[in-house]
């Protein structure tokens, strides 16, 4: 089958751009209805959502290899947040490129993780398992849970960890991913 080239004149190009902008506008609206940070998963780049809802993008950031395990239950976000005694102040008002590296991320924490682990002890089993296999850089829970993520410096370690995770947590969802 021969491929066909379609040539669009300047008027056609303008219409295509208008259409693309309308589609993008609808996607942005849909994402904002789900959650303010959803757009970060749509835009393929290392980026930060600022407090004014603007996105700051960073180029040439390191690629992080991740293994995600999600148990067959979810954490009740409202319940997790209701147990927070003290909210931490925002740390990322002035985002920098180094925020996307292992060294910086390793020294961060998820304030909701301890609360979720107390409420759902199975999360601790997953986290301890991930901390012991294939030498991850660090392991964290996502947001208010229930997915636990192990970060690896190379893809091979992540692949081997996935094989072990699938054997040990057969009823849980697990997948490899990487930053883009």
């Amino acid at each position: 089958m021969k491929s066909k080239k379609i040539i669009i004149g300047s008027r056609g190009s303008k219409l295509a751009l208008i259409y693309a902008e309308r589609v993008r506008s609808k996607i942005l609206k849909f994402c904002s209805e789900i959650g303010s940070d959803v757009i970060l998963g749509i835009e393929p780049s290392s980026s930060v959502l600022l407090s004014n809802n603007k996105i700051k993008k960073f180029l040439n950031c390191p690629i992080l290899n991740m293994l995600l395990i999600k148990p067959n239950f979810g954490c009740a976000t409202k319940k997790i947040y209701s147990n927070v005694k003290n909210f931490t102040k925002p740390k990322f008002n002035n985002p920098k490129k180094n925020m996307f590296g292992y060294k910086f991320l390793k020294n961060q924490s998820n304030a909701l993780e301890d609360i979720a682990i107390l409420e759902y002890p199975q999360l601790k089993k997953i986290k301890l398992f991930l901390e012991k296999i294939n030498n991850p850089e660090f392991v964290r829970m996502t947001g208010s849970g229930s997915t636990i993520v192990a970060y690896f410096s190379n893809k091979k370690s992540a692949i081997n960890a996935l094989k072990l995770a699938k054997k040990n947590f057969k009823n849980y969802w697990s997948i490899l991913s990487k930053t883009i």
Side-chain angles (χ1 to χ4, degrees):
M1 180 175 177
K2 283 187 174 182
S3 64
K4 295 180 182 179
K5 288 185 179 179
I6 299 174
I7 300 172
I8 299 176
S10 61
R11 184 173 181 178
S13 297
K14 187 174 181 177
L15 290 173
L17 288 172
I18 290 169
Y19 177 74
E21 189 54 41
R22 284 185 184 162
V23 169
R24 178 173 167 67
S25 177
K26 286 181 182 181
I27 290 171
L28 292 173
K29 185 178 184 299
F30 180 71
C31 288
S32 70
E33 289 174 5
I34 297 170
S36 60
D37 62 349
V38 172
I39 192 62
L40 297 176
I42 303 294
E43 302 268 339
S45 67
S46 295
S47 52
V48 175
L49 182 65
L50 302 172
S51 58
N52 62 2
N53 282 333
K54 296 214 186 283
I55 297 173
K56 183 170 182 176
K57 294 183 181 187
F58 296 89
L59 302 174
N60 304 317
C61 292
I63 293 174
L64 309 178
N65 298 283
M66 300 170 280
L67 166 58
L68 293 86
I69 299 179
K70 182 180 183 332
N72 53 7
F73 62 87
C75 296
T77 302
K78 187 174 182 178
K79 190 174 197 176
I80 299 299
Y81 273 94
S82 70
N83 288 315
V84 175
K85 303 292 183 237
N86 295 312
F87 286 91
T88 56
K89 293 183 180 180
K91 299 180 194 177
F92 309 112
N93 290 333
N94 189 17
K96 303 262 188 287
K97 185 176 179 177
N98 74 331
M99 289 173 45
F100 295 94
Y102 285 117
K103 187 176 179 182
F104 179 84
L105 293 171
K106 196 183 284 192
N107 293 316
Q108 302 307 306
S109 63
N110 178 349
L112 303 175
E113 191 171 294
D114 290 339
I115 296 167
I117 284 173
L118 283 173
E119 194 66 41
Y120 305 92
Q122 188 60 24
L123 295 175
K124 183 150 187 99
K125 290 179 186 175
I126 298 167
K127 185 172 182 185
L128 289 173
F129 171 81
L130 288 173
E131 287 174 337
K132 292 177 184 174
I133 61 168
N134 289 43
N135 199 26
E137 295 290 328
F138 60 96
V139 178
R140 297 279 186 279
M141 181 183 77
T142 60
S144 59
S146 62
T147 302
I148 306 290
V149 184
Y151 295 82
F152 295 91
S153 57
N154 64 68
K155 188 176 180 179
K156 186 176 180 180
S157 293
I159 291 169
N160 290 334
L162 175 64
K163 290 175 186 173
L164 292 169
K166 286 189 179 276
K167 280 184 188 176
N168 286 275
F169 300 100
K170 293 178 181 166
N171 295 324
Y172 292 1
W173 178 84
S174 55
I175 192 167
L176 292 180
S177 187
K178 67 178 182 176
T179 56
I180 51 174

